[in-house]
Amino acid sequence: MRLSIGGLDLSLSNKVVQCYRTFFPESHGGLEHVVLELARGTGGEVLTLANTKTTEGVYDGVKFKAARRWFSVASCCVGPGLFRLLFRSSARLLHFHFPWPFGDLLYLFAGRNRPLIVTYHSDIVRQKLLGAVYRPLLERFLDRADRIVATSDNYLETSPVLAKYRDKVEVIPLGISECFYPGSSSKLLIELERKFGKDFFLFIGVLRYYKGLDYLIRAAVGQQFKVLVAGQGPEFERLLALKDALGADNVEFVGYVSECEKACLMSLSRAVVFPSHLRSEAFGVTLVEGLMFGKPLISCEIGTGTSYVNDNGNTGYVVQPRSSDALQEAMIELWGNAELAKNMGCFARQRYEKLFTGERMVESYRRLYSKVLDESGAVS
């Protein structure tokens, strides 16, 4: 029998550690939110890397320890100080988030053979040459995993790597908890509406190569509707230059937005547009946020979880990737038909409540953690 206080399974408290290359407060992204939800929901802590010397703290109720990030290559963050932090951790079960090649080494050398769960967020898509060199390490790491978690059936069915490990793969969709999101401040809402208007198409995310923002900018050229791009990232300068070259005056880059600002922008928007065109985009937490705020979605069919989140024709439109024309057609349809957008938004909210709440995700992982700990004999 397991005791529970405040919904927390005490058999898990302080026994699970989340390991991911970035975390709050330094980095804000969809995966960081997922790691935060899991750590908060199971009473565990987070081990990560940061641009400062080894530090520890508490973010939104979650303890974290960060070793200094020495450098990053091909999106892989490296910080040898993390070996010591992981080796000394008292956690009984380790939960790693893939892909992160340095994380594979981290577990193999400092994991002390503790039970391992790997959430497989994405195949390695862009770095094909490095991927070939990395393959033996990847396979050794995944061979050691007690369970591998795919975030959607779509990704499980289309990933050649996951096909090899199908007998130990479980599917747990990502989720977010509404109770931890700030409401829309009426004062801030008025301020942002005065600044940006309303009924715009909203993109929120890190500006990365696989986000398809080139196609979004081209789709907006010459249209009456406005597109807001919220977020920072390595593609900013190039995308800004493209916007200016095309004369896309209706596209506005607003930079980093706080959680309160994001809530207000979601409320003011007509729809959330998510034009990612490569399999590096495995799920899209922003799409789940769009569902939560009752907004229709526009995304691309790339054979991943994005098309599981966005139910084509009901919660929005799933269009051809790498096609500005397809994105433009979907935006024009929702721009010209407010009633359609409202109805799709209602379906979106219902889908969030049914499938993508943080509570649902955390409970699924709690069961998996307990099962793996029981199998390994790590639970007293």
Side-chain angles (χ1 to χ4, degrees), residues 152-155 158 274-279 281-282 287 298-313 317-323 326-327:
S152 69
D153 287 308
N154 299 37
Y155 217 90
T158 57
F274 204 70
S276 297
H277 64 296
L278 295 174
R279 281 180 59 82
E281 190 68 78
L287 291 174
I298 299 174
S299 60
C300 297
E301 180 53 77
I302 51 177
T304 71
T306 61
S307 299
Y308 172 61
V309 179
N310 187 12
D311 184 12
N312 186 35
Y317 293 116
V318 179
V319 304
Q320 178 185 349
R322 302 182 182 86
S323 173
L327 285 170

Side-chain angles (χ1 to χ4, degrees), residues 76-194:
C76 179
C77 302
V78 175
L82 209 48
F83 285 104
R84 178 176 57 84
L85 291 181
L86 181 63
F87 188 84
R88 292 182 175 180
S89 169
S90 62
R92 301 285 187 87
L93 184 149
L94 306 180
H95 184 172
F96 277 69
H97 296 265
F98 180 96
W100 180 26
F102 178 74
D104 302 6
L105 288 172
L106 184 63
Y107 176 77
L108 293 173
F109 283 96
R112 300 187 351 237
N113 294 317
R114 283 170 286 186
L116 171 66
I117 289 175
V118 177
T119 296
Y120 191 96
H121 292 283
S122 171
D123 294 326
I124 294 177
V125 177
R126 192 183 195 186
Q127 300 87 3
K128 294 190 181 297
L129 178 60
L130 287 175
V133 175
Y134 164 55
R135 187 83 181 197
L137 174 60
L138 177 154
E139 292 183 347
R140 187 177 178 190
F141 176 63
L142 294 181
D143 285 345
R144 294 285 295 275
D146 293 85
R147 294 291 194 285
I148 300 170
V149 177
T151 56
S152 69
D153 287 308
N154 299 37
Y155 217 90
L156 174 58
E157 295 300 326
T158 57
S159 169
V161 174
L162 290 179
K164 179 181 177 181
Y165 299 97
R166 197 180 185 97
D167 61 333
K168 61 178 179 181
V169 174
E170 299 198 17
V171 176
I172 302 177
L174 303 182
I176 55 177
S177 298
E178 187 172 22
C179 62
F180 296 115
Y181 276 71
S184 299
S185 159
S186 56
K187 181 179 179 181
L188 183 58
L189 192 70
I190 293 170
E191 178 184 330
L192 292 177
E193 182 175 357
R194 187 181 299 118

Side-chain angles (χ1 to χ4, degrees), residues 11-80:
S11 68
L12 296 180
S13 183
N14 300 317
K15 289 188 177 179
V16 182
V17 65
Q18 305 289 325
C19 298
Y20 186 53
R21 59 188 175 88
T22 53
F23 191 61
F24 299 100
E26 182 181 282
S27 179
H28 296 74
L31 277 185
E32 287 85 349
H33 272 285
V34 169
V35 172
L36 179 68
E37 294 264 4
L38 290 174
R40 184 163 47 201
T42 57
E45 67 175 11
V46 177
L47 294 186
T48 187
L49 295 171
N51 287 328
T52 58
K53 64 180 180 180
T54 300
T55 186
E56 58 184 278
V58 177
Y59 182 87
D60 208 359
V62 170
K63 294 180 180 179
F64 69 89
K65 293 179 181 177
R68 183 169 186 173
R69 181 186 299 107
W70 282 21
F71 61 88
S72 296
V73 57
S75 300
C76 179
C77 302
V78 175

